[in-house]
Amino acid sequence: MSKKLYIETLGCAMNERDSDHIIAELSDKEGYGLTNNPKEADLILINTCSVREKPEKKLFSEIGQYAKIKKHDAKIGVCGCTASHLGDEILKKTKAVNFVLGARNVSKISQIIHKDRVAWVDIDYDDSAYVFSQGNISNVRGFVNISIGCDKKCSYCIVPKTRGKEISIPADLIINEVKRLVDNGVKEVLLLGQNVNSYGKNFSTIHRAINFTQLLSEISNINGLHRIRFTSPHPLHMDDEFILEFANNKKICKSIHMPLQSGSTKILRDMRRGYTKEWFLNRVEKMKSLIPQLTIGTDIIVGFPGESEEDFLDTLDVLEKVSFDTMYSFIYSTRPHTEAKELLESGKIELVDEDIAKNRLARLQDRHKELLGITNQAQLGQIHEILFESYKEGMLEGRSDTNKLVRVSGDESLVGSICNARISEVRGAQLFGELV
């Protein structure tokens, strides 16, 4: 009887991929099988996120809940970004946790599970060339890491302190991983990195010169691969060479996530983002001139310290001009080990009043919802190629090349297929179609 692993994954796609690696390593090297029931698990892992304060605060509550229901001899481990920056503090605050494994140390999972009351959180550890165990592939989409860490110094962001300096993964490992996924039925890959388009600037081993645009071109030559997506590119590094490859390469999906963070050039400067409102809009305009059907997603922080109403109106102005298809928006959250937190503590900048920040977030989200309704209504009658990923409640569900989620009546046997569908109905943000 195999040992049982229960894993809870919080946060971004990078965390999801880390969990995939953890599951594969523990299955291959330690004989663990997955369970959806923490009560029957021999090992409970929480893969944490620290981008915002709220999930981090929830961590100790969750540890307490798992401690109450777990088997008497089951272990609890905390992994991920919160593990990286809290480290030993987690062990000091609760005796329920057996070990703490940082986001930069995932390849050590099969070692640390045999330790007790230890924290391995070295953010300088380099596993960029480590070949992880191969897990079971049960989907038509696959995640592939192309880099680890981040070299940006955004004043609000803790990620460089939890995932370390940026190192690109050798291109041959990436190509081989994509080929393996395709051989196992994957039709679409999502390339992952904190800033994917700075790929190739720093390898930890001797490696041929290659940048992100060239990597995209090489991956697109893999036979059997139908679609390529990636997240997230940094607006600063979206040069014309990249935009032309993005527009002209037929395997690259015509949907892109561009983290704006703020529409105010002043706030972007304070955030240390490296670009202006005008640069961001220029890149959008160039891409839309080449790709009329392009959809764009973004991240926006409202209430960054010092944000005035005028600054916020600049953000609304970018929203109006771009009409983002997806938008992840949050009120600024103070994070440790960041420049913004240090400036707040020194009194050089001030937090925006909480009620004002909440009002701005509501206005931003309400307007985005209105604009999305307009753009979705324009989809009626349009025909899209849909890659069907799942079958739920008697309907096929999948995404278009432009990342529109579409539900269609059809046979479950079509899961994994790419089919044409005409959009016949819009319900809020949901699109429904008919096979054609």
Side-chain angles (χ1 to χ4, degrees):
M1 185 175 175
S2 68
K3 294 168 285 186
K4 296 292 185 182
L5 165 68
Y6 176 87
I7 186 165
E8 177 185 6
T9 305
L10 308 170
C12 67
M14 296 285 286
N15 270 23
E16 290 182 44
R17 186 56 178 151
D18 286 345
S19 288
D20 288 344
H21 285 318
I22 287 170
I23 292 165
E25 287 284 300
L26 292 180
S27 172
D28 181 38
K29 295 175 180 173
E30 301 294 331
Y32 276 88
L34 270 181
T35 176
N36 292 321
N37 183 0
K39 293 180 180 180
E40 68 178 29
D42 301 287
L43 175 61
I44 297 172
L45 297 179
I46 309 172
N47 193 4
T48 60
C49 174
S50 64
V51 169
R52 290 182 292 141
E53 187 176 18
K54 191 175 179 182
E56 187 178 300
K57 284 186 172 179
K58 245 180 93 178
L59 171 63
F60 291 98
S61 170
E62 295 206 24
I63 292 169
Q65 293 301 315
Y66 286 132
K68 287 178 186 176
I69 64 172
K70 76 179 184 71
K71 297 195 300 190
H72 78 279
D73 57 345
K75 286 189 172 185
I76 295 177
V78 177
C79 309
C81 289
T82 301
S84 292
H85 86 85
L86 289 183
D88 286 321
E89 285 184 48
I90 296 173
L91 299 176
K92 289 173 184 175
K93 285 186 177 181
T94 173
K95 292 184 178 180
V97 172
N98 297 91
F99 61 85
V100 177
L101 187 69
R104 193 66 177 249
N105 301 263
V106 170
S107 59
K108 299 178 181 179
I109 184 63
S110 62
Q111 301 167 49
I112 201 170
I113 62 169
H114 299 293
K115 308 291 182 181
D116 195 44
R117 305 295 291 168
V118 298
W120 293 352
V121 292
D122 180 8
I123 64 167
D124 293 322
Y125 184 70
D126 176 17
D127 64 2
S128 61
Y130 182 83
V131 180
F132 283 90
S133 295
Q134 308 301 328
N136 293 325
I137 299 167
S138 58
N139 209 330
V140 292
R141 298 178 73 227
F143 291 174
V144 178
N145 288 83
I146 68 167
S147 63
I148 58 175
C150 181
D151 283 347
K152 296 299 178 190
K153 293 180 173 60
C154 301
S155 62
Y156 55 83
C157 187
I158 192 176
V159 167
K161 297 294 185 182
T162 63
R163 288 190 174 269
K165 293 181 179 179
E166 182 178 303
I167 300 175
S168 296
I169 292 172
D172 58 340
L173 291 185
I174 296 169
I175 299 293
N176 288 339
E177 174 68 0
V178 175
K179 284 180 177 177
R180 184 186 72 84
L181 290 171
V182 170
D183 287 344
N184 283 276
V186 164
K187 288 186 166 63
E188 175 183 303
V189 294
L190 176 66
L191 308 178
L192 299 173
Q194 299 300 140
N195 297 296
V196 288
N197 50 345
S198 60
Y199 176 83
K201 292 188 176 179
N202 184 29
F203 292 98
S204 60
T205 56
I206 296 173
H207 197 278
R208 62 188 169 93
I210 181 172
N211 62 26
F212 182 58
T213 302
Q214 293 163 338
L215 180 69
L216 287 173
S217 178
E218 290 192 17
I219 290 173
S220 71
N221 290 327
I222 295 173
N223 291 329
L225 179 64
H226 292 263
R227 290 181 168 183
I228 302 168
R229 299 189 194 271
F230 49 84
T231 195
S232 289
H234 196 292
L236 180 63
H237 304 304
M238 295 178 66
D239 57 26
D240 288 354
E241 179 195 25
F242 161 75
I243 289 176
L244 287 171
E245 179 71 21
F246 177 65
N248 296 325
N249 190 320
K250 292 182 179 179
K251 287 190 178 181
I252 298 175
C253 292
K254 301 309 180 262
S255 175
I256 193 166
H257 191 81
M258 290 176 65
L260 171 65
Q261 307 303 0
S262 174
S264 162
T265 294
K266 172 189 172 296
I267 297 298
L268 287 170
R269 183 181 66 246
D270 292 345
M271 287 178 166
R272 305 283 187 262
R273 289 292 288 168
Y275 53 87
T276 62
K277 172 185 178 180
E278 289 72 26
W279 170 259
F280 188 94
L281 290 173
N282 173 273
R283 298 293 84 188
V284 170
E285 182 181 358
K286 183 168 183 67
M287 285 190 294
K288 285 194 170 182
S289 70
L290 296 168
I291 316 164
Q293 77 275 25
L294 177 70
T295 60
I296 301 175
T298 200
D299 302 325
I300 293 177
I301 297 170
V302 299
F304 186 81
E307 181 188 69
S308 66
E309 178 66 11
E310 184 179 359
D311 293 322
F312 175 68
L313 291 176
D314 272 336
T315 297
L316 283 181
D317 184 52
V318 176
L319 175 65
E320 295 288 338
K321 287 182 166 69
V322 178
S323 193
F324 296 107
D325 192 65
T326 56
M327 182 182 75
Y328 301 97
S329 51
F330 313 97
I331 294 172
Y332 168 74
S333 178
T334 307
R335 308 308 299 123
H337 312 300
T338 61
E339 181 186 352
K341 184 175 188 291
E342 292 171 3
L343 291 173
L344 282 167
E345 290 174 344
S346 70
K348 292 180 180 178
I349 57 176
E350 291 184 1
L351 278 174
V352 172
D353 179 84
E354 185 179 358
D355 289 338
I356 291 174
K358 286 180 178 177
N359 174 265
R360 287 176 184 168
L361 183 65
R363 288 158 62 193
L364 179 76
Q365 291 177 342
D366 288 348
R367 185 55 182 151
H368 175 253
K369 189 176 180 180
E370 291 172 358
L371 291 170
L372 187 58
I374 294 168
T375 56
N376 275 350
Q377 283 296 328
Q379 294 295 314
L380 282 171
Q382 296 291 318
I383 295 176
H384 291 285
E385 279 192 346
I386 312 296
L387 172 57
F388 292 118
E389 301 171 34
S390 61
Y391 188 78
K392 299 176 183 176
E393 300 171 352
M395 299 195 80
L396 292 160
E397 190 172 274
R399 291 191 178 272
S400 68
D401 172 72
T402 53
N403 206 35
K404 293 282 188 184
L405 185 64
V406 180
R407 302 187 74 197
V408 174
S409 294
D411 193 88
E412 188 175 3
S413 63
L414 291 176
V415 170
S417 301
I418 298 176
C419 305
N420 285 333
R422 179 182 287 108
I423 306 304
S424 56
E425 185 182 357
V426 178
R427 298 181 202 164
Q430 283 193 311
L431 298 179
F432 294 82
E434 300 169 347
L435 292 171
V436 293

